[in-house]
């Protein structure tokens, strides 16, 4: 907004995009309508996560709708979580809104998010899904299973949570200080423990196209979420090993007794069954340990989270980096 004072808080809107070229222009138009209702300055940070379609070309064309647009194109598809990192590291606002670019996170909710932040004193304003929207039964069951497991293992209640939220500058600075390469954004924001309020919203249908979240990619994100927030699976391996050890000791004592008593009998089927059970347990245990080793391996390599191939800077000079004294400041009535 051109008539807003430079000391007015700046809100950044970070949106990762993948194959969303069909509706980038419509998305920015809806964002402009919503942001103009907020008595704040704003910027939009778009991240093209290596889309094979014309998303980047449409971003460059549609950026003229808002003026206050910063955008980057990653060299390949690094995944939504790392694309989100690229956007958050470039956001300069006193508050940052994170949302999806497929239309399922309604831009019309932005004024309410900003109002709650400015009036409630909360550090995080999180939009929570009333319903998961149009999904297959398998997808809903998979999501329910994942959150039940993660909630039990991590101790954080994430059911219904989404990446659609507003976070204060100090929350973002704390998040940026965590240089993990296995990123699970909604879990990390819950782990930090800042004061959070929630507002419900209805998940809208996608504007166009279909979701890029295959079952394999969802399973990978689930593994990252579980292995980065809980070591319980490793303890489960040890517990299972102890149970089988006690079972083996008992079976050994029984076998020795039968042998000494002259009542030993052949048990080929029993032996094969035990071999299959123990072999399966060993393979599963090695798989669990392997997942944790993979997380460690990816962290110690020290490679960058993502690579930027091209970028667009802000066209509006008034939305550039705030002076140090204003960074992290809230409106006077924010408590």
């Amino acid at each position: 907004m051109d008539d807003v004072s430079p000391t007015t808080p700046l809100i950044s809107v970070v949106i990762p995009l993948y194959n969303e070229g069909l509706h980038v222009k419509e998305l920015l138009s809806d964002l402009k309508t919503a942001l103009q209702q907020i008595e704040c300055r704003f910027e939009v940070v778009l991240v093209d996560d290596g889309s094979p379609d014309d998303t980047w070309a449409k971003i460059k064309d549609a950026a003229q709708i808002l003026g206050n647009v910063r955008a980057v194109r990653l060299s390949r598809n690094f995944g939504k979580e790392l694309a989100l990192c690229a956007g958050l590291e470039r956001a300069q606002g006193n508050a940052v809104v994170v949302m999806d670019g497929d239309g399922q996170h309604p831009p019309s909710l932005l004024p309410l998010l900003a109002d709650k932040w400015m009036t409630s004193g909360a550090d995080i304003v999180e939009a929570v899904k009333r319903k998961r929207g149009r999904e297959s039964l398998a997808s809903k069951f998979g999501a329910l299973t994942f959150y039940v497991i993660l909630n039990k293992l991590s101790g954080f209640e994430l059911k219904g949570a989404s990446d659609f939220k507003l976070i204060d500058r100090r929350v973002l600075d704390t998040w940026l200080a965590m240089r993990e390469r296995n990123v699970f954004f909604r879990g990390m924001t819950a782990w930090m423990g800042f004061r959070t309020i929630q507002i419900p919203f209805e998940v809208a249908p996608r504007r166009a196209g279909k979701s890029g979240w295959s079952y394999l990619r969802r399973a990978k994100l689930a593994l990252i979420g579980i292995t980065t927030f809980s070591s319980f699976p490793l303890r489960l391996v040890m517990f299972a090993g102890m149970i089988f050890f006690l079972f083996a000791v008992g079976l050994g004592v029984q076998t020795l007794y039968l042998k000494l008593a002259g009542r030993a009998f052949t048990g080929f089927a029993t032996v094969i069954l035990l071999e299959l059970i123990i072999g399966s347990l060993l393979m599963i245990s090695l798989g669990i340990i392997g997942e944790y080793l993979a997380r460690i391996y990816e962290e110690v390599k020290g490679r960058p989270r993502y690579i930027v191939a091209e970028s667009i800077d802000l066209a509006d000079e008034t939305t550039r980096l705030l002076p140090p004294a204003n960074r992290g400041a809230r409106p006077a009535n924010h408590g």
Side-chain angles (χ1 to χ4, degrees):
M1 299 175 66
D2 297 333
D3 57 344
V4 177
S5 168
T7 60
T8 303
L10 171 66
I11 294 181
S12 303
V13 182
V14 175
I15 308 176
L17 300 168
Y18 182 72
N19 284 352
E20 309 289 1
L22 290 175
H23 53 262
V24 167
K25 184 176 180 180
E26 183 181 354
L27 170 65
L28 291 182
S29 178
D30 290 347
L31 280 174
K32 182 178 181 181
T33 301
L35 291 170
Q36 286 178 336
Q37 300 176 36
I38 306 172
E39 293 298 323
C40 292
R41 295 178 299 141
F42 61 83
E43 66 171 4
V44 178
V45 183
L46 303 176
V47 182
D48 177 13
D49 188 19
S51 302
D53 68 353
D54 61 347
T55 296
W56 182 247
K58 292 295 181 64
I59 287 175
K60 292 193 291 185
D61 292 341
Q64 302 305 317
I65 295 176
L66 280 173
N68 307 356
V69 173
R70 176 185 286 115
V72 295
R73 180 173 67 86
L74 304 187
S75 60
R76 64 170 177 84
N77 179 234
F78 285 86
K80 177 187 173 182
E81 300 293 318
L82 296 185
L84 192 56
C85 291
L88 291 173
E89 288 174 0
R90 286 160 176 76
Q92 303 295 335
N94 302 104
V96 179
V97 176
V98 175
M99 61 186 296
D100 290 347
D102 55 11
Q104 294 191 301
H105 293 167
S108 59
L109 205 60
L110 294 181
L112 179 58
L113 291 173
D115 179 69
K116 290 293 185 181
W117 170 66
M118 290 187 287
T119 59
S120 69
D123 298 300
I124 302 173
V125 184
E126 182 177 40
V128 179
K129 304 171 186 174
R130 284 197 182 99
K131 298 180 181 178
R132 292 193 58 85
R134 296 179 181 176
E135 287 184 323
S136 67
L137 186 60
S139 296
K140 290 182 179 181
F141 177 76
L144 176 62
T145 303
F146 166 65
Y147 283 116
V148 167
I149 294 174
L150 188 60
N151 290 345
K152 295 296 183 183
L153 297 185
S154 67
F156 302 115
E157 178 57 51
L158 296 177
K159 184 179 179 181
S162 72
D163 289 335
F164 189 17
K165 63 188 67 181
L166 179 150
I167 60 176
D168 188 75
R169 183 76 222 181
R170 68 170 181 156
V171 178
L172 177 59
D173 289 340
T174 304
W175 188 89
L176 292 175
M178 297 188 288
R179 301 300 302 170
E180 301 172 22
R181 284 164 177 77
N182 294 287
V183 178
F184 183 46
F185 176 70
R186 70 189 70 172
M188 293 167 71
T189 51
W191 176 86
M192 288 189 291
F194 286 100
R195 182 183 174 190
T196 302
I197 61 172
Q198 297 180 334
I199 57 175
F201 81 102
E202 296 286 346
V203 178
R206 288 182 57 87
R207 294 180 188 270
K210 59 182 181 179
S211 174
W213 284 97
S214 65
Y215 289 113
L216 182 61
R217 295 184 70 176
R218 291 180 182 182
K220 181 180 179 181
L221 180 61
L223 284 174
I224 290 175
I226 292 171
T227 54
T228 55
F229 279 90
S230 175
S231 59
F232 180 78
L234 288 175
R235 297 190 181 98
L236 187 62
V237 170
M238 182 177 66
F239 178 74
M242 292 174 63
I243 294 297
F244 268 78
F245 173 75
L246 294 175
F247 176 73
V249 169
L251 187 61
V253 170
Q254 181 195 35
T255 302
L256 182 60
Y257 170 77
L258 292 174
K259 180 68 175 178
L260 295 175
R263 290 187 288 155
F265 58 90
T266 57
F268 181 76
T270 304
V271 172
I272 292 299
L273 183 61
L274 287 174
E275 289 287 346
L276 290 174
I277 294 174
I278 295 173
S280 299
L281 177 65
L282 286 174
M283 295 300 291
I284 294 172
S285 301
L286 288 173
I288 293 174
I289 295 171
E291 281 298 321
Y292 282 92
L293 289 176
R295 301 286 88 79
I296 296 171
Y297 175 63
E298 291 168 6
E299 294 290 338
V300 300
K301 281 191 296 187
R303 292 179 182 175
R305 287 171 166 175
Y306 56 85
I307 299 173
V308 175
E310 192 173 351
S311 64
I312 299 174
D313 204 356
L314 287 176
D316 186 353
E317 293 292 333
T318 65
T319 60
R320 290 186 182 273
L321 180 64
L322 293 176
N326 288 336
R327 285 195 59 169
R330 296 185 180 183
N333 64 340
H334 188 56

